């Protein structure tokens, strides 16, 4: 396909929360200092994932910006999970995100909107059928520089989870940021961060859950004890990358586990939805209880589950815990059956999620 050389190439990219920006930027800076390849720093390239590149005439720039602005209002702030370093021909070093429903859908939706008004970039690399999502750490590397840079990338604690919080529009040559637009549902003033739990969180998790156990016991709720959940449970969850933490100002607020695993009693229940994710070991720190935090985290969990490609949430709630029963019922969870376990009777509940 031929292109009019008078047209300008514009890139449309997702940006991340500040905590992950700092991790990626630190790696980029360390690579530049070690290798002497300062291209990313010289051009002030922020951490991002480009989801589309388009050609437009200079006089259509305002129209393009308005189109992206309107598009951003239709898209939600979604979870992005980096899983491994990668490269293009050992010349570009990158972080690979998991290409899940969220990234696939936002890339496709952007092209549906933009290609009706603008032309795709000349290489077509961002078209939905061939797009390879990535975040560049360094580019234009020679073989020696690449080997050194890769060692730095391998020090990043992966998997690394973040939120896509806004969409930016850039001129590609020369590189220049034009404008950013917040994604729907992202509160830039919120201090709550969500990420995968790591072994370094383990002591705080166990301490928080022990405090929650003591509080429940003082309220006459004998749901959790020294047998369950215990440190080994959380260690196993972290190892399987199913445990998530919510933090605020580096303080642990909540912990939860998302997986497809469930007890045998779940299979005896009559469920209505066919593609569920199971919520396990959801606990809010006693320090943050009765402040609306439980609902806030639960709503985040539901959005996260949708982005993971599931259509519903399933869980079990202790019949003698009025607080958890109230939280789930007020947020649309429906009783589907019961299970009798060591501590007593539990309600099996589910909620259909809507996109």
């Amino acid at each position: 396909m031929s292109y009019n050389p008078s047209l300008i190439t514009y890139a449309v990219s997702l940006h991340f929360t500040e905590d992950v920006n700092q991790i990626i930027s630190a790696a980029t800076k360390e690579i530049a200092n070690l290798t002497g390849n300062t291209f990313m720093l010289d051009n002030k390239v922020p951490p991002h994932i480009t989801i589309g590149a388009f050609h437009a005439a200079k006089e259509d720039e305002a129209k393009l910006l308005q189109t992206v602005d309107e598009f951003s209002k239709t898209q939600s702030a979604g979870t992005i999970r980096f899983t491994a370093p990668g490269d293009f021909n050992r010349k570009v070093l990158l972080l690979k995100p998991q290409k899940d429903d969220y990234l696939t859908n936002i890339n496709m939706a952007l092209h549906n909107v933009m290609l009706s008004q603008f032309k795709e970039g000349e290489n077509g690399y961002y078209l939905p059928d061939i797009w390879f999502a990535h975040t560049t750490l360094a580019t234009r590397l020679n073989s020696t520089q690449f080997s050194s840079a890769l060692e730095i990338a391998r020090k990043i604690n992966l998997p690394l989870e973040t939120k896509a919080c806004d969409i930016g529009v850039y001129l590609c040559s020369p590189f220049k940021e034009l404008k950013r637009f917040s994604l729907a549902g992202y509160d830039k003033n919120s201090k709550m961060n969500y990420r995968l739990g790591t072994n370094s969180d383990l002591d705080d998790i166990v301490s928080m859950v022990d405090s929650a156990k003591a509080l429940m016991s003082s309220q006459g709720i004998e749901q959790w004890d020294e047998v369950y959940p215990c440190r080994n449970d959380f260690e196993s969850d972290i190892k399987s990358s199913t445990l998530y933490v919510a933090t605020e100002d580096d303080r642990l607020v909540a912990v939860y586990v998302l997986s497809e695993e469930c007890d045998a009693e779940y299979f005896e229940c009559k469920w209505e939805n066919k593609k569920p994710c199971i919520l396990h070991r959801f606990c809010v720190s006693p320090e943050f209880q009765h402040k609306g935090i439980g609902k806030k985290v639960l709503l985040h969990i539901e959005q996260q589950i949708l982005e993971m490609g599931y259509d519903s949430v399933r869980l079990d709630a202790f019949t003698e815990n009025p607080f958890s029963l109230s939280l789930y019922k007020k947020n649309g969870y429906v009783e589907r059956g019961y299970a009798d376990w060591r501590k007593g009777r539990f309600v099996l509940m589910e909620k259909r999620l809507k996109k």
Side-chain angles (χ1 to χ4, degrees):
M1 181 181 293
S2 61
Y3 289 91
N4 185 337
S6 67
L7 296 179
I8 299 170
T9 303
Y10 296 86
V12 180
S13 303
L14 297 175
H15 298 121
F16 319 128
T17 53
E18 186 56 33
D19 56 333
V20 170
N21 282 341
Q22 291 177 4
I23 293 171
I24 297 175
S25 295
T28 297
K29 185 175 181 179
E30 186 176 356
I31 290 169
N33 290 338
L34 180 64
T35 65
N37 183 320
T38 60
F39 179 87
M40 298 289 287
L41 300 184
D42 293 343
N43 287 277
K44 299 179 180 179
V45 181
H48 68 280
I49 295 175
T50 297
I51 57 175
F54 306 94
H55 275 150
K58 179 63 177 178
E59 56 266 28
D60 289 330
E61 185 175 288
K63 178 183 176 183
L64 184 143
L65 290 171
Q66 182 180 356
T67 303
V68 176
D69 183 14
E70 292 172 353
F71 172 77
S72 70
K73 295 172 183 176
T74 69
Q75 301 298 309
S76 62
T79 302
I80 295 172
R81 184 186 185 200
F82 293 102
T83 57
D87 67 275
F88 294 137
N89 298 320
R90 297 177 66 85
K91 297 183 183 299
V92 178
L93 181 64
L94 53 90
L95 286 180
K96 295 190 292 185
Q98 181 177 332
K99 194 174 177 184
D100 56 11
D101 285 352
Y102 177 74
L103 285 175
T104 299
N105 291 340
I106 199 169
N107 168 259
M108 186 175 297
L110 176 68
H111 283 83
N112 287 341
V113 169
M114 299 295 286
L115 292 182
S116 64
Q117 305 175 69
F118 308 99
K119 295 181 178 180
E120 73 269 19
E122 62 267 25
N123 54 37
Y125 290 158
Y126 301 100
L127 292 173
D129 289 343
I130 61 173
W131 178 52
F132 181 85
H134 65 280
T135 292
T136 299
L137 296 175
T139 188
R140 304 185 182 186
L141 298 166
N142 61 39
S143 59
T144 302
Q145 291 172 336
F146 177 83
S147 298
S148 300
L150 182 58
E151 290 305 310
I152 295 171
R154 285 173 173 165
K155 293 191 294 184
I156 298 174
N157 192 8
L158 299 173
L160 177 65
E161 192 164 294
T162 185
K163 275 279 189 183
C165 56
D166 63 43
I167 293 180
V169 180
Y170 295 86
L171 285 173
C172 290
S173 183
F175 183 86
K176 180 183 178 182
E177 181 176 324
L178 296 180
K179 201 162 186 179
R180 295 193 185 198
F181 307 98
S182 295
L183 289 164
Y186 179 72
D187 180 4
K188 66 180 179 181
N189 296 316
S190 174
K191 298 179 180 179
M192 192 83 77
N193 289 309
Y194 300 88
R195 59 173 173 79
L196 276 168
T198 67
N199 287 327
S200 62
D201 298 311
L202 194 54
D203 288 343
D204 288 340
I205 291 170
V206 172
S207 177
M208 184 194 78
V209 171
D210 283 347
S211 295
K213 291 176 183 178
L215 177 60
M216 286 192 291
S217 183
S218 72
Q219 297 168 331
I221 304 170
E222 302 299 337
Q223 177 178 347
W224 286 353
D225 57 20
E226 70 281 357
V227 176
Y228 176 87
C230 66
R231 188 182 186 92
N232 287 344
D233 294 313
F234 296 118
E235 283 180 326
S236 178
D237 296 332
I238 290 171
K239 186 176 181 180
S240 62
S241 297
T242 57
L243 182 145
Y244 298 85
V245 295
T247 63
E248 184 176 279
D249 294 331
D250 294 326
R251 294 184 297 168
L252 184 61
V253 174
V255 61
Y256 59 94
V257 173
L258 300 179
S259 75
E260 296 182 358
E261 295 182 1
C262 60
D263 291 297
E265 287 80 358
Y266 272 66
F267 297 105
E268 300 171 5
C269 186
K270 293 183 178 179
W271 306 99
E272 290 192 0
N273 301 292
K274 304 301 182 183
K275 195 176 182 182
C277 183
I278 318 299
L279 171 60
H280 302 281
R281 294 182 274 289
F282 178 28
C283 180
V284 175
S285 168
E287 182 183 353
F288 290 90
Q289 290 181 14
H290 309 296
K291 298 179 181 179
I293 297 296
K295 178 177 180 178
K296 183 176 182 178
V297 177
L298 184 61
L299 291 175
H300 169 85
I301 290 170
E302 292 173 0
Q303 181 61 38
Q304 181 179 347
I305 287 173
L306 266 179
E307 293 166 5
M308 293 167 69
Y310 298 100
D311 68 2
S312 57
V313 189
R314 292 179 187 174
L315 56 83
D316 52 80
F318 190 41
T319 55
E320 301 301 318
N321 188 334
F323 304 107
S324 62
L325 289 175
S326 175
L327 173 66
Y328 296 132
K329 289 180 179 179
K330 286 181 178 179
N331 285 280
Y333 287 77
V334 180
E335 296 182 12
R336 298 300 186 201
Y338 296 90
D340 293 310
W341 289 316
R342 181 176 63 90
K343 301 297 289 187
R345 174 158 285 197
F346 289 73
V347 185
L348 302 180
M349 310 178 80
E350 76 173 334
K351 179 179 179 179
R352 174 77 177 183
L353 301 178
K354 298 179 180 179
K355 293 184 179 182

